[in-house]
């Protein structure tokens, strides 16, 4: 027997869970389908960065929208998600990199964005006192911060369920088809039908899009992270580099979470990854060079999550170009966690109102091909 619902959301990462929640807030009753459990993949095992800093310009409006939600996350979810807002700092390691920072901030200001602020060496050391003396400055986004990714994703899923979403975990969505004006999806022995289908399946979303006639140049990647032993407190803001791949955050207990985009080998069909220890050593060595306090630290644990990366590093976000009632929300390319709350809110607006005031025009799936082909 088929159960009719208002919308079907495939994928239980922070994006799918946020969309399900915001659809509930708009008065709809969706079903949320996750083949494993909410936050099992990228959304639950990333670095937890909540950043507007250093984003691609087309996704900045969505990032700004999302930051406003993060700052009131407890009101939305009855859970603070361990969100802290000490800012994020992009460190320039030399004058060349500082010149790039200067040009970037000037470009954003011309476009009307003011969240990124150029800082000199003195302000850099005030924010991050332990940084190497050779660093001449950088950029800060003062409202940015970090949260606990697994806690946040679970909180979105839990709140969506409390507000009326049907949640199905541990069983994959199969046999997706469009008949008689409705989207139909099988979930084990159950079947659901709805006028709306949201493809938020992360690393598995490209397969769904292709099966529905909208192939996207997307690959499966597995960004790596590691956690160190405890060291004396040396930074409150999250610190990132651009010249060398690196991002890190120190927790209150003194441990340091190190990431930066180095990739493991993903085995998507098995839900497994194999770490690249040489690249992890490169990340660790970079931290030790920039922050002498870290030279006594040891690596305690390392891991990777599976997610989707598009050819242009921008998400596929918005309505289908081919099918009525189909929406895509995937391909966040190693930087989607912060966008989750805002993306869910915007997706609900697209579905319920047919449009949104948040600029997302450059994120549509039609940028990859002519919709007439």
């Amino acid at each position: 027997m088929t159960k009719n619902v208002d919308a079907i959301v495939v994928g239980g990462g922070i994006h799918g869970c946020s969309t399900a929640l915001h659809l509930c807030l708009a008065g709809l009753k969706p079903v949320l389908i996750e083949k494993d459990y909410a936050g099992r993949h990228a959304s639950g095992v990333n670095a937890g960065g909540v950043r507007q800093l250093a984003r691609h310009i087309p996704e900045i409006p969505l990032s700004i929208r999302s930051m406003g939600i993060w700052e009131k996350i407890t009101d939305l979810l009855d859970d603070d998600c361990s969100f802290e807002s000490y800012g994020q700092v992009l460190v320039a390691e030399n004058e060349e990199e500082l010149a790039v920072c200067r040009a970037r901030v000037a470009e954003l200001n011309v476009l009307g964005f003011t969240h990124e602020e150029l800082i000199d060496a003195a302000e850099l050391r005030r924010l991050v006192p332990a940084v190497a003396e050779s660093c001449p400055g950088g950029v800060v986004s003062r409202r940015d911060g970090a949260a606990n990714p697994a806690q946040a994703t679970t909180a979105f899923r839990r709140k969506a369920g409390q507000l009326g979403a049907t949640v199905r975990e541990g069983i994959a969505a199969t046999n997706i088809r469009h008949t008689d004006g409705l989207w139909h999806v099988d979930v084990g022995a159950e079947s659901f039908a709805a006028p709306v289908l949201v493809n938020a399946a992360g690393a598995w979303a490209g397969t769904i899009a292709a099966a529905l006639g909208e192939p996207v140049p997307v690959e499966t990647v597995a960004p790596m992270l590691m956690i160190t032993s405890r060291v004396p407190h040396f930074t409150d803001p999250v610190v990132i580099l651009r010249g060398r791949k690196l991002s890190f955050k120190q927790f209150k207990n003194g441990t340091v979470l190190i990431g930066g985009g180095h990739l493991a080998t993903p085995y998507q069909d098995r839900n497994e990854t194999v770490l690249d220890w040489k690249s992890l050593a490169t990340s660790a060595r970079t931290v030790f060079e920039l922050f002498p306090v870290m030279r006594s630290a040891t690596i305690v644990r390392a891991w990777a999550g599976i997610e989707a990366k598009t050819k242009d590093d921008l998400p596929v976000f918005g309505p289908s170009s081919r099918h009525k009632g189909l929406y895509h929300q995937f391909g966040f390319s190693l930087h989607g966690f912060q966008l989750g709350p805002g993306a869910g809110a915007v997706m609900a607006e697209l579905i319920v109102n047919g449009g949104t005031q948040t600029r997302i025009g450059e994120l549509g799936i039609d940028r990859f091909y002519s919709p007439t082909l």
Side-chain angles (χ1 to χ4, degrees), residues 55-59 216-219 308-317 330-333 335 362-369:
R55 285 199 171 273
H56 298 292
I57 288 173
E59 67 185 12
V216 172
V218 61
E219 63 176 318
K309 182 179 184 297
T310 62
K311 186 176 181 179
D312 59 6
D313 288 330
L314 290 172
V316 179
F317 187 79
F330 70 92
F332 287 88
S333 305
H335 52 252
E362 294 178 70
L363 306 180
I365 197 169
D366 57 356
R367 72 184 187 268
F368 293 112
Y369 62 96

Side-chain angles (χ1 to χ4, degrees), residues 322-346:
R322 295 177 62 92
H323 302 290
K324 183 179 180 181
L326 173 63
Y327 298 82
H328 295 292
Q329 187 175 353
F330 70 92
F332 287 88
S333 305
L334 288 72
H335 52 252
F337 178 68
Q338 186 266 354
L339 299 175
V346 171

Side-chain angles (χ1 to χ4, degrees), residues 45-122:
V45 298
N46 62 79
V50 178
R51 71 172 174 89
Q52 302 169 99
L53 180 64
R55 285 199 171 273
H56 298 292
I57 288 173
E59 67 185 12
I60 288 177
L62 187 58
S63 181
I64 292 172
R65 174 74 180 273
S66 203
M67 186 57 70
I69 298 175
W70 276 110
E71 290 173 331
K72 298 178 181 178
I73 201 70
T74 302
D75 295 338
L76 177 65
L77 301 179
D78 304 317
D79 190 317
D80 67 3
C81 302
S82 298
F83 171 61
E84 295 180 331
S85 180
Y86 291 110
Q88 291 210 14
V89 177
L90 190 160
V91 176
E93 294 189 66
N94 50 54
E95 291 294 341
E96 256 187 283
E97 290 185 6
L98 186 60
V100 173
C101 292
R102 186 177 295 109
R104 158 76 176 190
V105 172
E107 179 185 17
L108 291 185
N109 288 344
V110 168
L111 294 172
F113 300 121
T114 59
H115 58 284
E116 293 191 12
E117 175 188 339
L118 189 71
I119 55 175
D120 60 15

Side-chain angles (χ1 to χ4, degrees), residues 183-199:
W183 289 98
H184 296 257
V185 177
D186 296 338
V187 188
E190 295 182 286
S191 292
F192 294 91
V196 169
L197 173 68
V198 180
N199 175 21

